[in-house]
Amino acid sequence: MSGFLRIYKSLLTKYPLGMQAVQAGTLMALGDQVAQNFVEKRNFKDLDFVRTSQFFGIGFCVGGPATRTWYGILDKFIGSKGGLVAVKKVACDQILFAPFFIVVLLSTLGFMQGNDINSIKKKLENEYTDILISNYKLWPLVQLINFSFVPLHHQVLVVQSVAVLWNSYISYRTNRDIVKPSS
């Protein structure tokens, strides 16, 4: 295991954005599989691996790069140490980033599900507020701990690890009207 961690740390140092994209994609895919297996209780033959690959793609192309870039911006303009710095970062994260990122996430999922713009707007009208409220029940505390104690290069990993459960929730919420019953 120590060999794996050494390779991971080396790759994270050499390719921070790429590694964080890979880990975000992997953990988003895992969140979708948790939703399908444990929330929706699908049989193996009913698992939607296309949906899982879509979650991987969103994490890889959007989630990882966006959060890593955002955390870098926060670090540059607000700082990296201290309780007040962490509180300011959480406030910026939850007031500026979270509401916007939820729209991006839900819209991207909608397009990947083959929905047109009107369907996506309707989904946003129906789902956005509940998801944002749920976001505010979980993420401020997670981010306060993350910004207070975790070095910048590991913050995306911490968030994406917690996000396995969050992504399970998002996967379920965005697919519940198209979920096939298990046989």
Side-chain angles (χ1 to χ4, degrees):
M1 187 64 151
S2 67
F4 173 77
L5 289 176
R6 190 171 47 255
I7 292 169
Y8 170 76
K9 285 181 179 182
S10 171
L11 290 171
L12 187 60
T13 301
K14 278 180 142 173
Y15 310 104
L17 195 60
M19 281 302 295
Q20 291 170 348
V22 168
Q23 73 192 16
T26 301
L27 292 171
M28 280 194 76
L30 179 61
D32 177 64
Q33 279 298 304
V34 167
Q36 289 189 53
N37 282 281
F38 300 107
V39 178
E40 299 166 23
K41 299 183 187 323
R42 291 180 177 216
N43 294 322
F44 182 80
K45 66 181 175 71
D46 295 324
L47 293 176
D48 186 347
F49 292 105
V50 170
R51 182 174 120 184
T52 301
S53 67
Q54 291 171 338
F55 268 83
F56 176 85
I58 292 168
F60 182 80
C61 296
V62 179
T67 52
R68 173 57 181 95
T69 302
W70 174 244
Y71 296 165
I73 290 168
L74 290 176
D75 216 55
K76 179 179 179 180
F77 290 102
I78 297 176
S80 59
K81 300 221 185 297
L84 185 56
V85 166
V87 170
K88 287 178 183 179
K89 284 182 171 183
V90 170
C92 286
D93 187 63
Q94 294 302 302
I95 293 169
L96 302 174
F97 186 77
F100 175 74
F101 188 74
I102 290 170
V103 169
V104 170
L105 179 63
L106 295 178
S107 299
T108 304
L109 282 168
F111 282 121
M112 292 182 106
Q113 292 168 342
N115 297 323
D116 62 20
I117 192 73
N118 290 328
S119 298
I120 292 168
K121 283 180 183 177
K122 183 137 180 84
K123 189 84 160 174
L124 284 168
E125 289 170 8
N126 294 336
E127 303 282 341
Y128 179 79
T129 302
D130 287 344
I131 291 173
L132 185 63
I133 290 168
S134 295
N135 169 85
Y136 289 141
K137 291 176 183 177
L138 172 66
W139 289 110
L141 179 59
V142 170
Q143 291 294 51
L144 185 62
I145 293 166
N146 195 28
F147 293 141
S148 294
F149 302 110
V150 179
L152 177 62
H153 61 282
H154 290 301
Q155 288 175 357
V156 174
L157 177 59
V158 168
V159 165
Q160 289 300 327
S161 296
V162 173
V164 168
L165 296 176
W166 176 253
N167 293 330
S168 300
Y169 166 72
I170 295 294
S171 175
Y172 172 71
R173 282 297 297 253
T174 59
N175 287 284
R176 67 183 174 178
D177 55 342
I178 56 175
V179 170
K180 300 172 193 163
S182 32
S183 321

